[in-house]
Amino acid sequence: RVSVWKEGFAEHSEKLDLGADDHLDRQYSLKPGIDVQARVVDSQHRPLPDVTLRCGANSQRTDGDGRALLKGLEFGAEYAIKISGDALVPESRTIVAETETVEFMVAPGGRAEWPVFARDLAAIEEARVHWVKRQHTGREIATGVGRWDARQQVAVVQGLEAGTYEVHVTVPG
């Protein structure tokens, strides 16, 4: 993978397949770029820290003020920003990189815990948690992962919106 960037221009990245005897002789024209300061807030405009903003291969986490810098975007281009966090319903928003600031108001999701017991009632040290959201018809419409809380012996899934879910817990071994 080759990435080319310069301050004030959009980053250019591409995958190149080169053989052992190949050499790279290419020219790149960088397009005007912009750094966008994103801010993530809740419905009361309170900043949300530790929210992940993913824009293509670029991923940033918000700081304590709910801010993250999306660097090297192509000016005027449209980007899908995936927003996720422990207590959020994951979503995607589209921006056009024309302004230096953007604010995302997001809704928190619910949290659910499922107690899980081994057949012999022994403590489970580790487990994988996977969830599936289904329509009333039974069709799968979303999937995700949760986490295992070994201290409480519960499967934890956060960021849920209203709906019907299946939760699968897999214990290694």
Side-chain angles (χ1 to χ4, degrees):
R1 178 161 292 282
V2 174
S3 293
V4 181
W5 67 94
K6 180 176 169 59
E7 190 70 33
F9 292 88
E11 179 178 343
H12 174 83
S13 183
E14 69 180 87
K15 181 180 177 183
L16 296 174
D17 293 319
L18 298 174
D21 295 328
D22 293 338
H23 69 280
L24 183 63
D25 185 14
R26 297 193 66 155
Q27 291 185 342
Y28 295 98
S29 295
L30 298 178
K31 297 179 181 177
I34 186 170
D35 294 344
V36 176
Q37 177 72 51
R39 185 162 188 253
V40 181
V41 297
D42 66 12
S43 59
Q44 275 78 47
H45 293 277
R46 294 180 296 227
L48 295 175
D50 295 321
V51 173
T52 300
L53 301 177
R54 189 173 316 278
C55 179
N58 187 5
S59 178
Q60 299 292 327
R61 290 186 71 78
T62 59
D63 63 16
D65 293 325
R67 298 181 190 282
L69 187 62
L70 304 172
K71 296 183 75 162
L73 303 182
E74 181 183 331
F75 184 83
E78 190 172 279
Y79 290 92
I81 309 295
K82 294 181 193 275
I83 305 168
S84 62
D86 283 345
L88 299 178
V89 176
E91 60 181 282
S92 183
R93 302 276 181 91
T94 301
I95 66 165
V96 176
E98 295 176 329
T99 62
E100 294 181 351
T101 60
V102 63
E103 185 169 275
F104 300 113
M105 185 179 294
V106 296
R111 173 186 167 106
E113 295 182 359
W114 288 267
V116 177
F117 303 98
R119 287 194 175 111
D120 59 3
L121 297 180
I124 300 170
E125 294 303 315
E126 66 177 274
R128 289 187 304 280
V129 180
H130 172 82
W131 58 262
V132 178
K133 182 178 181 187
R134 298 199 181 273
Q135 286 183 327
H136 67 282
T137 62
R139 186 172 78 81
E140 182 179 298
I141 56 175
T143 63
V145 294
R147 67 178 177 81
W148 176 249
D149 183 334
R151 191 172 62 78
Q152 298 292 324
Q153 294 291 288
V154 294
V156 180
V157 178
Q158 294 179 283
L160 301 176
E161 56 189 4
T164 302
Y165 293 84
E166 293 174 8
V167 175
H168 304 273
V169 178
T170 306
V171 178

